[in-house]
Amino acid sequence: MTDFTPLEAMEGMTLVQLEELSDRTPLAGYLDHYRLRVLLKDKTTLHVGNIEVEPYRLWAQVWSPPQPRGTAIIVHGYYDHMGLYRHLLELLLEENLQVVMWDLPGHGLSSGERADIKDFAEYGQCLRQLQQRLCDDGLAKGPWLGVGQSTGASILATDALSHADDGHWCGLVLLAPLVRPWNWARSAWVHSIVGPFVSSVPRRFRPNSNDADFTTFLRERDPLQPLRLPTGWVTAMRRWMPQLMELPPSLLPTLILQGDEDLTVDGPWNLAVLEGKFPRATIHRHSEARHHLVNEIEPIRRELFEQIRQFINPLLVTAAVDARSQPICSHSRASQR
């Protein structure tokens, strides 16, 4: 498979000029492999590189249309990386949003033990520090919309519930959000028995989308896919689950999308929990969708993406005139005083 590890040596964020992008460079190979280069059009710009967020180095991209209405930050799911989010990136750019994408610690081209984390709180710390760094460098500004898939949705939900009144987000889009995994009772029992004795187990590639080409790509043609499940990550998730349950509700505008054929997370149970945590949430269920909603077959994806369009457009209009919609840098600095 293609080796993208040379990209890990990039320092800081670099503006990519399409006309200067040589086909022989690792960056061009990366953009082409994940079919991202075609989105560099219509005066859209791309900054790409690595951002140091102690103790990690995070691989990040900032896609900017002319005169964006705000910034969307995509937080991907477990085992994922930002290269898999082309469809969602295209949608958000069409809605004239600047888009920040980044690989979680231990995923994609970011540093860290593969697919592992000591504490879920580290994800949230990386999220806030990354946003602050981008603001300081003039690469992103509010209002901010959070869009998360699965574990990424849980990271955003935890952040919003933990900082309910700081005006950090204008809204959230939670796609197949993780609160507890599917068939959790059995999985928790197995983890309790096996966890103390093994550090990881082989990953099983189950079809998580109705798009057979996508699931084949994950299994056979994506060099950035982790091949093992660290038991330490499951331990961290088990510590995080009751912490989320204890957080107070938030009135933040939220859209939650869930597939009824999802065998990765416990959709019905998770929706009941999140409906209580986000009382203003709009919930849309799709009877045929599986877990990886941003890479579902086109008819399902079109329906789900229309829900996102209908949610974000009035939200951004309101945020544009809301006195609280100040650049995220101001909120972050105020919270640090």
Side-chain angles (χ1 to χ4, degrees):
M1 286 190 193
T2 306
D3 179 16
F4 300 125
T5 54
L7 296 174
E8 298 174 3
M10 290 184 65
E11 300 266 346
M13 298 294 285
T14 301
L15 176 63
V16 176
Q17 301 288 352
L18 183 59
E19 62 276 9
E20 298 176 2
L21 188 62
S22 170
D23 290 342
R24 297 184 179 181
T25 64
L27 179 59
Y30 172 92
L31 294 173
D32 289 339
H33 189 74
Y34 297 109
R35 297 184 292 171
L36 295 172
R37 195 191 326 204
V38 295
L39 300 182
L40 275 176
K41 59 183 180 180
D42 301 328
K43 299 182 180 179
T44 297
T45 62
L46 169 62
H47 286 80
V48 61
N50 294 291
I51 295 179
E52 299 292 333
V53 175
E54 188 66 30
Y56 299 106
R57 184 198 64 253
L58 303 177
W59 173 252
Q61 299 176 18
V62 180
W63 296 74
S64 304
Q67 299 180 333
R69 296 189 290 167
T71 301
I73 183 162
I74 298 175
V75 189
H76 66 72
Y78 188 59
Y79 287 141
D80 281 354
H81 57 88
M82 73 174 93
L84 302 176
Y85 283 66
R86 175 178 62 90
H87 298 304
L88 181 59
L89 171 60
E90 184 174 22
L91 165 71
L92 297 171
L93 289 174
E94 288 175 353
E95 293 301 316
N96 202 31
L97 281 165
Q98 190 171 48
V99 182
V100 173
M101 305 199 300
W102 57 295
D103 288 346
L104 292 174
H107 291 74
L109 294 171
S110 289
S111 67
E113 295 296 324
R114 291 297 86 187
D116 205 358
I117 201 77
K118 293 181 180 178
D119 193 304
F120 265 42
E122 293 186 31
Y123 290 141
Q125 293 162 7
C126 287
L127 171 65
R128 289 261 169 160
Q129 291 182 56
L130 177 74
Q131 290 174 292
Q132 186 64 58
R133 287 287 303 276
L134 292 174
C135 279
D136 290 345
D137 293 341
L139 289 178
K141 64 178 182 178
W144 281 83
L145 172 73
V147 185
Q149 162 78 30
S150 192
T151 297
S154 73
I155 294 167
L156 287 170
T158 302
D159 183 85
L161 294 169
S162 300
H163 307 85
D165 299 320
D166 69 353
H168 191 87
W169 303 103
C170 71
L172 299 181
V173 177
L174 308 180
L175 309 169
L178 168 69
V179 179
R180 74 178 186 190
W182 179 78
N183 199 19
W184 175 237
R186 180 182 182 278
S187 299
W189 178 81
V190 172
H191 174 258
S192 298
I193 298 299
V194 175
F197 303 102
V198 298
S199 61
S200 67
V201 295
R203 175 186 177 184
R204 288 187 288 177
F205 283 85
R206 296 189 180 96
N208 59 0
S209 165
N210 287 287
D211 187 337
D213 290 339
F214 172 70
T215 58
T216 298
F217 177 83
L218 289 185
R219 187 176 61 253
E220 300 179 2
R221 298 195 297 276
D222 186 0
L224 298 181
Q225 286 298 305
L227 300 179
R228 299 190 67 84
L229 168 62
T231 54
W233 186 89
V234 181
T235 300
M237 181 188 65
R238 295 186 70 170
R239 288 198 305 267
W240 161 79
M241 290 166 63
Q243 295 170 4
L244 175 73
M245 300 295 288
E246 293 173 0
L247 293 172
S250 168
L251 296 178
L252 184 69
T254 302
L255 173 66
I256 304 176
L257 303 181
Q258 178 64 52
D260 287 343
E261 295 298 318
D262 190 333
L263 297 181
T264 300
V265 300
D266 188 343
W269 194 89
N270 295 349
L271 291 180
V273 171
L274 292 173
E275 190 173 19
K277 295 297 181 183
F278 296 96
R280 294 180 60 188
T282 298
I283 297 176
H284 179 80
R285 297 174 64 168
H286 194 288
S287 61
E288 299 177 13
R290 295 185 180 179
H291 182 64
H292 213 295
L293 300 183
V294 298
N295 281 291
E296 264 293 357
I297 55 175
E298 198 275 335
I300 295 177
R301 193 173 67 247
R302 183 174 62 246
E303 178 182 330
L304 297 176
F305 280 12
E306 182 58 29
Q307 294 290 323
I308 297 176
R309 291 184 197 273
Q310 293 178 15
F311 174 75
I312 65 176
N313 277 296
L315 190 70
L316 291 172
V317 171
T318 301
V321 297
D322 191 334
R324 294 192 311 150
S325 296
Q326 301 296 322
I328 190 175
C329 310
S330 301
H331 291 301
S332 298
R333 288 175 183 142
S335 66
Q336 292 169 1
R337 292 192 185 107

